[in-house]
């Protein structure tokens, strides 16, 4: 589990952080998708509490390095990295107490609790992000909070369950699922990803409206191909 969590932190986190900045609408730096929030949550959920200090250090280093490579200012880099990791850690801590260490979507109760924790974490993350943007760039508070809240909710709900599903599924089980239905859902997922992230024509409203298209695909894969959480 430790090796899987480290691989997710080192390789998937930079990719999702790049995606977050790539889908940011300019001018105005309007954030529409914040998937690395889901990666942080997944990493902490995959690890025991004794391993959290290692995860904190690794995630902070990777986040700051990625922000630096994408040309972010030092002050923004440090503050946004600390905010993302702190909110993720707090969310998992609350979830572990509330859900008795069960992974999300293990049963109906954990689904509801995961959604509640997602909303709480997204609200805190958006508050921190809006505060940083106001202090550094004079951005409007309410609009910044709202867009970041929606972006973080989408990032968490789409990314965290997918990572946990794949990490708890044997490779052989995935290989055996290569039938017509699997190919169909894989193709449909790819189409929805294209619609969500590459054909939005710069409109935040279109991106937010289409980003949820992939969610039914993830649920379909989990139910039909026994991807257990």
């Amino acid at each position: 589990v430790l090796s899987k969590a480290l691989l997710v932190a080192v390789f998937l986190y930079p990719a999702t952080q790049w995606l977050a900045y790539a889908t940011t609408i300019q001018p105005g730096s309007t954030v529409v998708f914040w998937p690395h929030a889901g990666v942080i949550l997944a990493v902490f959920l995959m690890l025991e509490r004794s391993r959290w200090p290692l995860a904190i250090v690794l995630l902070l280093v990777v986040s700051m390095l990625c922000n630096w490579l994408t040309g972010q200012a030092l002050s923004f880099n440090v503050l946004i990295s600390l905010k993302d990791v702190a909110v993720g850690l707090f969310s998992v801590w609350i979830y572990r107490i509330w859900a008795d260490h069960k992974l999300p979507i293990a049963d109906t109760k954990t689904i509801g609790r995961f959604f509640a924790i997602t909303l709480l974490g997204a609200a805190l993350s958006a508050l921190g992000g809006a505060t940083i943007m106001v202090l550094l760039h004079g951005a409007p508070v309410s609009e910044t909070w709202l867009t970041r809240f929606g972006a973080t909710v989408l990032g968490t709900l789409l990314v965290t369950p997918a990572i946990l599903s794949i990490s708890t599924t044997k490779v052989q089980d995935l290989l055996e699922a290569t039938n017509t239905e699997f190919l169909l859902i894989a193709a449909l997922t790819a189409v929805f990803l294209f619609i969500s992230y590459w054909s939005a024509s710069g409109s935040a409203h279109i991106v937010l409206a289409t980003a949820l298209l992939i969610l039914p695909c993830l649920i379909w894969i989990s139910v039909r191909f026994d991807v257990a959480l």
Side-chain angles (χ1 to χ4, degrees):
V1 175
L2 177 61
S3 60
K4 289 181 179 179
L6 295 179
L7 288 174
V8 169
V10 173
F11 294 103
L12 191 57
Y13 186 91
T16 53
Q17 191 173 46
W18 171 85
L19 181 61
Y21 291 127
T23 55
T24 297
I25 298 174
Q26 301 293 349
S29 297
T30 302
V31 174
V32 296
F33 191 45
W34 206 247
H36 48 294
V39 175
I40 293 175
L41 203 60
V43 168
F44 284 128
L45 284 170
M46 292 168 68
L47 296 174
E48 295 296 327
R49 186 173 297 182
S50 60
R51 301 287 189 176
W52 285 358
L54 174 62
I56 292 172
V57 174
L58 183 60
L59 287 169
L60 284 175
V61 170
V62 173
S63 178
M64 291 182 184
L65 179 61
C66 292
N67 280 320
W68 176 69
L69 291 175
T70 54
Q72 306 300 321
L74 178 61
S75 55
F76 177 85
N77 184 348
V78 173
L79 291 174
I80 208 73
S81 298
L82 289 172
K83 183 267 297 181
D84 285 341
V85 175
V87 170
L89 182 62
F90 175 77
S91 298
V92 172
W93 178 65
I94 296 296
Y95 178 82
R96 284 280 180 88
I97 295 174
W98 196 11
D100 193 27
H101 288 72
K102 292 182 180 179
L103 289 180
I105 318 183
D107 51 47
T108 305
K109 289 183 178 180
T110 55
I111 292 175
R113 289 168 181 172
F114 177 64
F115 269 77
I117 290 299
T118 296
L119 295 176
L120 173 62
L124 293 174
S125 179
L127 179 61
T131 301
I132 293 170
M133 293 300 292
V134 169
L135 292 177
L136 298 181
H137 304 292
V141 178
S142 59
E143 294 179 10
T144 305
W145 182 90
L146 184 59
T147 56
R148 287 184 174 270
F149 174 76
T152 306
V153 169
L154 291 178
T156 303
L157 292 181
L158 297 182
V159 174
T160 301
I163 293 175
L164 295 175
S165 294
I166 295 172
S167 68
T168 55
T169 303
K170 296 179 180 179
V171 176
Q172 186 63 29
D173 293 337
L174 291 176
L175 295 177
E176 292 176 354
T178 54
N179 52 30
T180 303
E181 185 180 358
F182 181 82
L183 293 176
L184 175 62
I185 188 59
L188 193 60
T189 302
V191 171
F192 284 164
L193 283 171
F194 178 83
I195 293 174
S196 297
Y197 307 125
W198 303 114
S199 62
S201 303
S203 170
H205 300 292
I206 296 178
V207 173
L208 289 173
T210 58
L212 286 174
L213 287 174
I214 193 177
L215 190 55
C217 298
L218 299 179
I219 297 174
W220 185 3
I221 291 172
S222 296
V223 174
R224 292 291 294 140
F225 298 105
D226 195 26
V227 182
L229 291 174

